[in-house]
Amino acid sequence: MNRRSLAVVLLGLLLAGGVLPAGAGALVPPTPAALAESIAALTTPEMEGRRSGTPGGERAAALLADWLRASGLQPGGDAGSFLQSFVISTGTRLGAANVFNVVGATSPAVGVDWMPHGGSAGTDVSAEVVFVGYGIAAPENSYDDYAGVDVKGRIALALAGSPARIGRRVPRVEKIVMAREHGALAILLIEDPLPELTGGAASPIVTASVRRVVADRLLPAGTTLASLESAPRSFATGTRARVRVALERVDVRGVNVVGVLPGRDPALADETVVVGAHYDHLGRVDGVVHPGADDNASGTTVVAALARAFAAAGGGPRTIVFVLFGAEELGLIGSDHYVRHPARPLARTVGMVNFDMVGRLRDGRVRVEGTDSAAGLGQIAATMVAVESLTATMGGSPFGPSDHASFYRAGVPVLFFHTGNHEDYHRPGDTADKIEIAGMARVAAVGVRVVERLAAAARPAYAIVKSPARARQGGTRAFLGVQSNTDVDGARLLRVVPGSAADRAGLREGDVLIRLAGAPLASFDDLRGALHERHAGDRVDVVYVRNGERYSVVTTLDATP
C-alpha cells in the first residue's frame, strides 16, 4: 500500500470513530487550560444549572455528545447515538380543556394569566371566591388566615409567600393542605410572574396560580390587591368563578452521554473499563441558578478530557466506555439505568472509575473510595496518586451517594475520586472561578494513570463488602435515608433508601416532608439543615403530605453511612 492510500485509510478510521493501532500516540494528561475551558462551557448561564429533564440539562448533554464525537469515540447510546434516554419521573403538560371563567369579566388565558399546578386535581369547580390572606394557619405563631371566614365548598384565593411575622417560607403544598383541611374545593395562589407547570405534589383539590391582574378581577369593587398586601385580611369576595383543570401526564426524561473506545488488544478488547461522572446539577432553586462547577462540572470535565487523551493515544488494550450520567442528583437514576442497559456487558466490565467533585484540591490531598471492592485496587490508586506527588486518603467502602455505587451493586469493582466537601456544596456559590484548576489537572493525571493500568493489568476480582452498619447511638451525623429535590413543593421525596429510617417510617417516593423534629421544611436544604442539628439514635417526629393528606410519624435516625 502506498503512502497516499495509507493516509486515506487512517483518515477513514478516524472519521468513522475507529481507533488507531497501538503506538499511534503518547497518552498525554489534559492541561489546566483545557480543563478550565471545559468547566467554563459547562457553567455558562445558558446551561441553567444542568438539571436533568430541563432545557439546560439537554443543552449540556448535547455539548458533551459533541465533545465525545469530536474525540473520535463511537456512540454507545440509543439507536446509534451518544445519548441513552431514561425516564426520570411522570410529569404533566396542559391539556386542551383548561377553563377559567370569572362572572362578568374576560376569561383569563391559561399559561398567560393563570397556570394550573402540576399536581392539581383534574376537576371542574364553580363557586364563590374567598380571599384568605396568605392562606396560612400557623397556631405556633398565633396566626390564622382562616379565622372568621368559611371556605367550605368555595374557592380560596391567597397571596404567595408568607408574612414577616411567620418568619419562614411556607411551601405551596402546605397551603394546599390547609385549604383542603378547611373544606375549600380549590385554591388559587397569586403569583406574578406565573410559576412553571411542574410535577408538584398530588392534590385532591384544584390548585393553580393566577397573575395579579386576574386577582384584581376577583376582588370586590374598591378593594385592591396592593391594599391587602400591606394589611391582609380575609373575607368573602362575592365573586363567582369557574376553574377546570385538564392536565396530561407525560414522562420527564433525562439522558446519559455514552462514548465507546474499542480496545486494541484482541485478547482483551471484549473486556471493558467504565470511566464516569455525573454532569447534572440542581438547575434553578427558588429561581436562582446553581452552576455546579465543582459538583459536578469538574468530574465531567475530567472524564471528557480522559476520553480525548485515550482516543488520541489510540485507546488501551481493553475497551474503555466513557459515560456522563444524568439525574445523579435525583437519586442515581442515570447510572442505575446504565447498569441495567450497559453499552458493553457488565459481566465483562473489569472496573468503574468515578469522578465527582474533584475541583477543589486542598493540601495536595485527594480522597479515593471503593478500594475494598477488589483486591489490589487500593495499591493501584495509592501508587498513581504518589506518582503525581499527591496524598491519598483511602476509603474502602464502595457505597455512597454517587454513581459508582450503582456499579458496585451490579457486581463491578469501583474507585471513586473526590477532593472533599465545602461551603458551596449545593449552593449558588459553586462557581467556575473557585475551581482550583491546577489541582484538578493533577487529579486528572492520576485518573489517566489509573485507567491506563485498569485497561491493561490483570482483571481485579470483585470482593463482597458489607453495607456499612448504620449505628443508632448518639454522637454521629444523622441519616434519614431519602433523596429529595428543592422545588415549590418543599422537600419532595424522589427515593427512599431500603432499610433506612425513612423506609422504616413508611415514607415513600412522592411524599413531601414539611416538618422534622418540629423544624419547618420548605426545601431540601431545610431538611439537610434539620438533620445537621440531630444525631444518630434521635427519635424524631416527621410530618409529611401524601395525596393532599397530612400525616405524622415517629422514626429513629440512623448514622450517615
Side-chain angles (χ1 to χ4, degrees):
M1 183 179 295
N2 60 37
R3 291 183 178 179
R4 184 176 185 279
S5 298
L6 177 60
V8 170
V9 170
L10 293 179
L11 179 60
L13 283 170
L14 286 172
L15 293 176
V19 180
L20 295 178
L27 186 53
V28 181
T31 65
L35 296 174
E37 184 177 350
S38 295
I39 286 274
L42 289 168
T43 56
T44 61
E46 290 75 17
M47 294 299 173
E48 298 180 301
R50 305 186 309 280
R51 184 183 179 92
S52 286
T54 69
E58 292 172 359
R59 282 190 283 272
L63 176 64
L64 294 170
D66 288 343
W67 287 356
L68 297 188
R69 185 182 298 108
S71 297
L73 272 62
Q74 295 179 358
D78 302 331
S81 74
F82 284 90
L83 304 181
Q84 182 186 54
S85 177
F86 54 84
V87 175
I88 297 174
S89 62
T90 300
T92 54
R93 65 184 177 195
L94 293 173
N98 290 283
V99 174
F100 193 150
N101 290 328
V102 182
V103 175
T106 305
S107 296
V110 68
V112 178
D113 299 313
W114 73 287
M115 178 69 77
H117 299 155
S120 173
T123 54
D124 194 325
V125 173
S126 182
E128 182 185 11
V129 176
V130 178
F131 182 76
V132 291
Y134 287 93
I136 298 171
E140 69 275 15
N141 298 106
S142 300
Y143 184 93
D144 189 356
D145 283 317
Y146 287 93
V149 293
D150 182 10
V151 296
K152 188 174 182 179
R154 295 175 171 85
I155 298 172
L157 175 67
L159 297 163
S162 57
R165 62 182 292 186
I166 294 295
R168 65 181 177 93
R169 184 170 73 87
V170 178
R172 185 172 77 186
V173 64
E174 199 167 349
K175 294 192 177 190
I176 292 170
V177 169
M178 292 174 190
R180 182 186 183 279
E181 289 177 347
H182 284 84
L185 299 177
I187 182 170
L188 306 176
L189 298 181
I190 304 166
E191 300 185 77
D192 210 344
L194 293 172
E196 294 181 0
L197 177 66
T198 61
S203 167
I205 65 174
V206 169
T207 73
S209 291
V210 299
R211 291 182 58 208
R212 296 174 64 90
V213 64
V214 175
D216 278 330
R217 296 179 204 167
L218 297 170
L219 298 173
T223 304
T224 65
L225 190 57
S227 66
L228 293 173
E229 286 175 316
S230 59
R233 55 191 175 87
S234 301
F235 56 90
T237 66
T239 302
R240 292 186 63 84
R242 177 193 174 203
V243 185
R244 182 173 69 192
V245 171
L247 301 175
E248 298 175 356
R249 302 296 172 183
V250 294
D251 286 338
V252 177
R253 304 190 73 89
V255 293
N256 296 323
V257 185
V258 188
V260 179
L261 189 58
R264 64 177 185 240
D265 184 342
L268 295 176
D270 67 337
E271 294 185 339
T272 300
V273 176
V274 173
V275 184
H278 76 90
Y279 69 89
D280 68 304
H281 193 55
L282 303 183
R284 293 181 182 271
V285 180
D286 293 332
V288 179
V289 170
H290 286 48
D294 190 28
D295 185 18
N296 186 33
S298 64
T300 300
T301 290
V302 167
V303 171
L306 265 57
R308 286 191 290 270
F310 277 92
R318 289 187 172 98
T319 293
I320 308 175
V321 176
F322 297 89
V323 191
L324 291 318
F325 300 105
E328 187 268 0
E329 298 286 4
L330 302 179
L332 312 186
I333 298 174
S335 54
D336 282 345
H337 179 83
Y338 180 88
V339 299
R340 287 182 281 109
H341 306 279
R344 295 295 173 95
L346 283 192
R348 304 292 291 170
T349 298
V350 306
M352 188 270 183
V353 184
N354 183 33
F355 298 89
D356 193 347
M357 295 180 64
V358 292
R360 296 209 188 178
L361 187 71
R362 293 181 288 270
D363 302 322
R365 186 173 296 276
V366 60
R367 185 155 187 88
V368 186
E369 304 279 359
T371 55
D372 289 348
S373 64
L377 283 185
Q379 184 59 48
I380 291 175
T383 299
M384 301 312 171
V385 168
V387 168
E388 295 301 326
S389 300
L390 298 176
T391 301
T393 301
M394 296 294 186
S397 175
F399 305 98
S402 193
D403 294 302
H404 62 285
S406 299
F407 284 80
Y408 181 73
R409 287 195 298 266
V412 177
V414 297
L415 284 174
F416 169 38
F417 289 85
H418 63 117
T419 54
N421 217 327
H422 47 76
E423 65 279 1
D424 291 316
Y425 173 69
H426 281 195
R427 302 286 184 183
D430 185 8
T431 51
D433 60 298
K434 296 178 182 176
I435 296 295
E436 208 283 283
I437 204 70
M440 183 174 151
R442 296 171 73 188
V443 175
V446 172
V448 167
R449 296 179 185 278
V450 168
V451 174
E452 182 182 29
R453 175 67 66 87
L454 289 176
R459 178 174 184 170
Y462 178 82
I464 296 176
V465 180
K466 290 184 178 180
S467 180
R470 292 177 180 136
R472 296 178 189 173
Q473 68 278 6
T476 53
R477 292 177 58 193
F479 180 74
L480 181 60
V482 297
Q483 181 75 32
S484 180
N485 69 351
T486 303
D487 62 12
V488 293
D489 280 329
R492 184 158 52 99
L493 302 188
L494 298 170
R495 181 172 176 260
V496 175
V497 176
S500 66
D503 187 36
R504 297 193 301 273
L507 297 176
R508 60 181 188 237
E509 179 183 331
D511 291 345
V512 182
L513 307 190
I514 58 176
R515 286 181 184 273
L516 186 139
L521 309 176
S523 68
F524 184 35
D525 283 342
D526 288 346
L527 174 58
R528 266 208 317 266
L531 288 171
H532 185 71
E533 299 298 319
R534 315 304 302 181
H535 297 95
D538 286 353
R539 283 178 60 80
V540 295
D541 293 312
V542 181
V543 181
Y544 64 97
V545 175
R546 178 183 296 167
N547 297 326
E549 297 277 0
R550 191 193 318 232
Y551 298 91
S552 180
V553 68
V554 176
T555 191
T556 301
L557 296 173
D558 297 324
T560 300

